[in-house]
Amino acid sequence: MRRRLRLRRDASLTLLLSTALGLLLYAQRDGAAPTTSSPHARGRAAPRPTLGPRTFQLPDVGAAPPAYEEDTPAPPTPTGSFDFVSYLRAKDQRRFPLLINQPHKCRGDGTPGAQPDLLIAVKSVAADFERRQAVRQTWGAEGRVQGSLIRRVFLLGVPKGTGTDGTVTMGVGIRTHWHDLLRAESRAYEDILLWAFDDTFFNLTLKEIHFLAWASAFCPDVRFVFKGDADVFVHVGNLLEFLALRDPGQDLLAGDVIVQARPIRARTSKYYIPEAVYGLPAYPAYAGGGGFVLSGATLRRLASACAQVELFPIDDVFLGMCLQRLRLTPEPHPAFRTFGISQPSAAPHLRTFDPCFYRELVVVHGLSAADIWLMWHLLHGPQGLACAHSQPVAAGPFKWDS
């Protein structure tokens, strides 16, 4: 009898430990997932880009593009059983405390009145330290690049599930003090911005409006801002060459522009939007949230416009709504690849992870931390590159070498 009870107790303990390990692995996998914000079907081969904006077909063949003459329609509380109820209850909460700030980020490099030429703002989550380190050590490094002063910040919310003691439950009996870790990271690198809202997919819009407000207050004279995800590779030299011909006092928001994208109505999709929340057949034009650049003038105007537009749970679409309010059109640029570099059907053997491809681009989305580090060192190694073409920036559609 005792032996049977002992066996039953051992089996129960084994089951409990297996469950705890499974929860821990799942939480770590979820925390390390790339921060993404564009309502694209993940995993599909991306269409090859053109000089113009990326176009999605409307549901009715031959139908004219919708006319966006009004601001974002006020969404009524939906009556269905989907998970938007809690979101809609809290959607008008626009102001959350700033828990970790970098008030001196844009004070220049010691020269009186010197503001950054380029401020890099990267969306991140608390558990994504590895990706932040990859950005810091590669394309997001602060300092002077081609004579331009560059500064960097990471945008974070509070990890979901944070307790009253500032810890996050990662599994059964396992808690991590994320707030203390982020404060230590902030002291070491001085680039963490942490707000008091839950860091969830739908709250990426809150990161958008809080960053715009922060940059307007603490970086009022910044010339340009690059904003993107932590899983992108950025060729900063090409970006600076593109910006060298632009006036920071004029409106600019450039990236991988998407037009006539339809709201996804499938409940199983990450980007599911019910008709009751957004009833129009297509979204306004927007730049893919994987990475885009804007001028200081547009930054300040957007901060004001976004404060007046109804919040929407997909952040890059929301920014398109703010641009629509300002009657501004995002500028398409073929070197911004927020779908990554697709494998051409005519050359399935071609290696797309090649520095000769990346050398002519500005942004490539969907890389691991190791890939970002490796590509950076391949492009900036002492040996240089032996490529067929010598031009550093793509002036037209991307073409595959034969």
Side-chain angles (χ1 to χ4, degrees), residues 229-248:
D229 291 344
D231 61 339
V232 301
F233 178 86
V234 182
H235 195 306
V236 178
N238 290 348
L239 178 60
L240 292 174
E241 287 192 25
F242 166 67
L243 295 177
L245 303 177
R246 310 307 292 256
D247 181 358

Side-chain angles (χ1 to χ4, degrees), residues 35 122-126 128-129 132 154-157 199 207 230:
T35 307
V122 182
K123 292 173 285 184
S124 185
V125 295
D128 233 354
F129 176 77
R132 289 194 292 276
F154 291 98
L155 316 177
L156 292 86
D199 210 339
K207 279 189 184 178

Side-chain angles (χ1 to χ4, degrees), residues 22-204:
L23 289 172
L24 175 60
L25 292 174
Y26 179 81
Q28 288 177 334
R29 184 201 68 176
D30 187 60
T35 307
T36 185
S37 58
S38 185
H40 308 142
R42 306 300 297 174
R44 291 189 308 182
R48 293 185 64 181
T50 63
L51 275 173
R54 197 184 304 277
T55 304
F56 287 76
Q57 294 299 320
L58 291 171
D60 297 325
V61 177
Y68 296 99
E69 298 177 354
E70 303 296 332
D71 290 331
T72 310
T77 301
T79 56
S81 58
F82 46 80
D83 60 356
F84 271 73
V85 174
S86 58
Y87 166 77
L88 291 174
R89 285 174 180 165
K91 71 178 177 60
D92 292 326
Q93 291 181 254
R94 288 176 173 264
R95 296 186 179 182
F96 290 83
L98 184 57
L99 303 178
I100 299 179
N101 191 12
Q102 307 299 333
H104 306 298
K105 177 57 65 174
C106 291
R107 293 283 179 88
D109 57 355
T111 306
Q115 289 282 330
D117 297 293
L118 178 65
L119 174 65
I120 294 173
V122 182
K123 292 173 285 184
S124 185
V125 295
D128 233 354
F129 176 77
E130 181 184 14
R131 289 188 183 277
R132 289 194 292 276
Q133 280 295 84
V135 171
R136 290 178 180 122
Q137 295 172 6
T138 57
W139 61 266
E142 294 189 317
R144 292 275 173 181
V145 177
Q146 297 175 190
S148 297
L149 180 62
I150 295 178
R151 289 289 181 256
R152 172 195 67 239
V153 289
F154 291 98
L155 316 177
L156 292 86
V158 174
K160 191 174 182 181
T162 301
T164 56
D165 58 351
T167 64
V168 178
T169 300
M170 297 292 291
V172 178
I174 302 174
R175 300 180 74 82
T176 305
H177 291 264
W178 284 115
H179 195 264
D180 293 340
L181 292 175
L182 288 175
R183 285 201 175 278
E185 186 178 346
S186 176
R187 287 193 296 271
Y189 299 102
E190 299 182 338
D191 59 4
I192 298 294
L193 295 176
L194 174 67
W195 285 277
F197 52 78
D198 285 345
D199 210 339
T200 63
F201 174 72
F202 283 166
N203 280 349
L204 287 174

Side-chain angles (χ1 to χ4, degrees), residues 206-238:
L206 292 178
K207 279 189 184 178
E208 194 72 62
I209 63 173
H210 282 77
F211 168 69
L212 289 171
W214 179 89
S216 297
F218 293 99
C219 298
D221 299 318
V222 65
R223 291 169 56 81
F224 296 98
V225 174
F226 174 83
K227 186 169 180 290
D229 291 344
D231 61 339
V232 301
F233 178 86
V234 182
H235 195 306
V236 178
N238 290 348

Side-chain angles (χ1 to χ4, degrees), residues 146-393:
Q146 297 175 190
S148 297
L149 180 62
I150 295 178
R151 289 289 181 256
R152 172 195 67 239
V153 289
F154 291 98
L155 316 177
L156 292 86
V158 174
K160 191 174 182 181
T162 301
T164 56
D165 58 351
T167 64
V168 178
T169 300
M170 297 292 291
V172 178
I174 302 174
R175 300 180 74 82
T176 305
H177 291 264
W178 284 115
H179 195 264
D180 293 340
L181 292 175
L182 288 175
R183 285 201 175 278
E185 186 178 346
S186 176
R187 287 193 296 271
Y189 299 102
E190 299 182 338
D191 59 4
I192 298 294
L193 295 176
L194 174 67
W195 285 277
F197 52 78
D198 285 345
D199 210 339
T200 63
F201 174 72
F202 283 166
N203 280 349
L204 287 174
T205 301
L206 292 178
K207 279 189 184 178
E208 194 72 62
I209 63 173
H210 282 77
F211 168 69
L212 289 171
W214 179 89
S216 297
F218 293 99
C219 298
D221 299 318
V222 65
R223 291 169 56 81
F224 296 98
V225 174
F226 174 83
K227 186 169 180 290
D229 291 344
D231 61 339
V232 301
F233 178 86
V234 182
H235 195 306
V236 178
N238 290 348
L239 178 60
L240 292 174
E241 287 192 25
F242 166 67
L243 295 177
L245 303 177
R246 310 307 292 256
D247 181 358
Q250 300 296 318
D251 279 318
L252 169 70
L253 193 148
D256 187 1
V257 176
I258 302 161
V259 299
Q260 298 180 12
R262 293 175 292 176
I264 295 177
R265 306 301 189 191
R267 293 174 183 268
T268 56
S269 172
K270 175 181 179 180
Y271 305 101
Y272 166 58
I273 297 293
E275 257 190 286
V277 173
Y278 187 85
L280 295 177
Y283 292 130
Y286 64 92
F292 58 86
V293 66
L294 63 157
S295 66
T298 300
L299 171 88
R300 292 181 286 274
R301 294 189 65 198
L302 273 178
S304 175
C306 288
Q308 304 172 52
V309 173
E310 188 81 24
L311 292 181
F312 191 74
I314 303 178
D315 62 326
D316 44 11
V317 174
F318 170 75
L319 204 62
M321 296 172 177
C322 299
L323 290 173
Q324 175 184 264
R325 185 177 182 87
L326 293 174
R327 300 184 183 277
L328 293 180
T329 301
E331 178 180 323
H333 194 294
F336 286 72
R337 302 301 176 89
T338 59
F339 284 86
I341 302 177
S342 59
Q343 190 80 30
S345 58
H349 61 282
L350 193 62
R351 292 173 56 250
T352 58
F353 191 76
D354 188 310
C356 291
F357 294 154
Y358 282 68
R359 188 189 64 157
E360 297 189 1
L361 300 175
V362 174
V363 174
V364 181
H365 194 196
L367 277 70
S368 68
D371 284 345
I372 291 173
W373 187 92
L374 177 59
M375 182 54 67
W376 177 263
H377 287 278
L378 287 173
L379 282 169
H380 296 83
Q383 304 300 327
L385 292 175
C387 300
H389 302 290
S390 58
Q391 64 182 41
V393 183

